[in-house]
Amino acid sequence: MKSLNKKRLAYLSLFLSLLFIEIIIALFVRDRFIRPYGGDIIVTVLICAFLRVFFPEGIRLLPIYVCIFAFAVEIGQYFDFVSLMGLADNKFFAILLGSTFSFADLICYATGCIVFGLGEYSIGSIKRKNDR
């Protein structure tokens, strides 16, 4: 149980750190690389870390599920899902769900999920090696 709480704390720390970085990017970065691409890579890692706070073990394919979710949101932007749902006038949902489709975003989301998955795999491999 103690190990599980340590994992949750580690994922919570990662989540809060990435959330802080995302807020800084949103408020202060106005470039053509970090804001549009870096933020999209980070957001999927952020979502994975947030979910791991509640499910530190047991969902082995979590990065894949998060990637599918991110792809679904992006494809929803292609079909103007916000307008179809009648939420275009609601600024919160318009920002949350987005309004413009970008193939590059799909690549960024996949990259973030791969980074998270590889990170978890690497940490697990190191831990297994040290436990021997």
Side-chain angles (χ1 to χ4, degrees), residues 6-78:
K6 284 176 81 174
K7 281 185 180 182
R8 287 186 170 155
L9 186 59
Y11 284 118
L12 180 62
S13 297
L14 177 62
F15 168 74
L16 292 174
S17 299
L18 293 176
L19 181 61
F20 177 75
I21 291 168
E22 284 283 13
I23 291 169
I24 295 300
I25 289 171
L27 294 176
F28 301 111
V29 178
R30 302 278 182 254
D31 70 343
R32 292 184 179 180
F33 184 76
I34 299 296
R35 185 177 175 109
Y37 303 113
D40 285 345
I41 292 170
I42 293 170
V43 77
T44 50
V45 177
L46 175 107
I47 293 169
C48 286
F50 177 75
L51 291 172
R52 281 286 187 233
V53 171
F54 303 100
F55 307 103
E57 296 176 346
I59 305 177
R60 206 180 69 164
L61 301 177
L62 179 70
I64 292 172
Y65 300 143
V66 169
C67 193
I68 291 168
F69 170 76
F71 278 29
V73 171
E74 192 67 25
I75 291 167
Q77 291 173 5
Y78 178 80

Side-chain angles (χ1 to χ4, degrees), residues 36-37 40 71 74 77 100-110:
Y37 303 113
D40 285 345
F71 278 29
E74 192 67 25
Q77 291 173 5
T100 56
F101 173 83
S102 170
F103 183 76
D105 288 352
L106 297 175
I107 294 169
C108 291
Y109 299 149

Side-chain angles (χ1 to χ4, degrees), residues 114-129:
I114 290 168
V115 166
F116 186 84
L118 288 175
E120 281 196 320
Y121 179 78
S122 297
I123 291 168
S125 293
I126 292 168
K127 189 173 189 307
R128 284 188 298 276
K129 187 176 183 180

